[in-house]
Amino acid sequence: ERYICSPWFAVANAGTIVSGILITVGAILLWNLWPRKRSGRMAMALMALGGLLVVAVGLFPWDTHPIEHDVTAFLQAIFQWAAMIALLVAVRGFAHWRSISRLTALFLAISVVGFVMFINALSGGTAFGLGVGALERIAFDSLVVWTAIVGLVLLRSQQMMRPNPEAQILRSAAPHSQ
């Protein structure tokens, strides 16, 4: 049994809902980005569903809807883990996507290990000095952190690939030699 109720619960729940909406929208916007279309689209479909489940986690706070909260949080993790695995398949072997692949594998491992440790602690096992709440954060919030980091990496890589308009102007103004 665990009781959690912060005076900021409405802000936390709203933040969770907004996070889920942003994950879903991001997945939709990234639908065609991946080098292997089939597994990339599968990853984004699973990610979008995972984002909708994050919304449900925010709509069903643990203190008032513990069963719904736990079920949707568990399903969200499953969908996001499956999305991460599909994304690993979508980018495997492409050097340009190596950083995404490494980040995905790292955060997938952190989340799964954190989840196993969390379930172990809930079942009466050791929390390894971290506490049940910290293990829950490692299991679930690492997925949100991964989503944000991958988004930033994608934004940065898109900016690096975009032509620099100032350089274009300078090149066109320079005298041509033959």
Side-chain angles (χ1 to χ4, degrees):
E1 190 76 25
R2 59 188 171 154
Y3 181 77
I4 303 165
C5 192
S6 162
W8 290 90
F9 70 91
V11 173
N13 294 339
T16 301
I17 292 166
V18 169
S19 176
I21 291 169
L22 290 173
I23 290 168
T24 303
V25 169
I28 292 166
L29 291 173
L30 296 173
W31 182 257
N32 284 317
L33 181 69
W34 311 106
R36 287 193 179 88
K37 294 296 181 204
R38 182 180 232 165
S39 55
R41 288 179 177 166
M42 173 66 76
M44 293 305 99
L46 291 165
M47 187 64 63
L49 290 171
L52 293 175
L53 287 162
V54 171
V55 171
V57 168
L59 292 173
F60 299 117
W62 191 86
D63 60 327
T64 59
H65 299 88
I67 293 171
E68 294 88 346
H69 180 86
D70 286 348
V71 168
T72 55
F74 175 71
L75 289 173
Q76 180 268 325
I78 297 296
F79 274 84
Q80 190 148 359
W81 294 333
M84 293 167 91
I85 291 166
L87 188 59
L88 285 170
V89 171
V91 299
R92 183 184 67 229
F94 291 90
H96 176 73
W97 299 99
R98 191 170 294 130
S99 62
I100 299 287
S101 181
R102 288 179 180 160
L103 283 167
T104 301
L106 174 66
F107 277 89
L108 177 62
I110 289 169
S111 180
V112 170
V113 169
F115 182 78
V116 169
M117 293 169 64
F118 172 63
I119 295 300
N120 177 60
L122 282 179
S123 302
T126 181
F128 304 97
L130 296 172
V132 174
L135 294 174
E136 184 176 19
R137 300 288 55 88
I138 291 168
F140 294 100
D141 290 354
S142 60
L143 298 174
V144 174
V145 171
W146 169 79
T147 303
I149 291 172
V150 167
L152 290 172
V153 168
L154 288 172
L155 277 175
R156 184 164 184 246
S157 69
Q158 291 299 316
Q159 289 171 348
M160 292 172 70
M161 292 188 322
R162 190 177 307 141
N164 182 347
E166 291 174 8
Q168 294 289 338
I169 292 169
L170 290 174
R171 276 196 293 265
S172 65
H176 297 285
S177 62
Q178 300 210 357

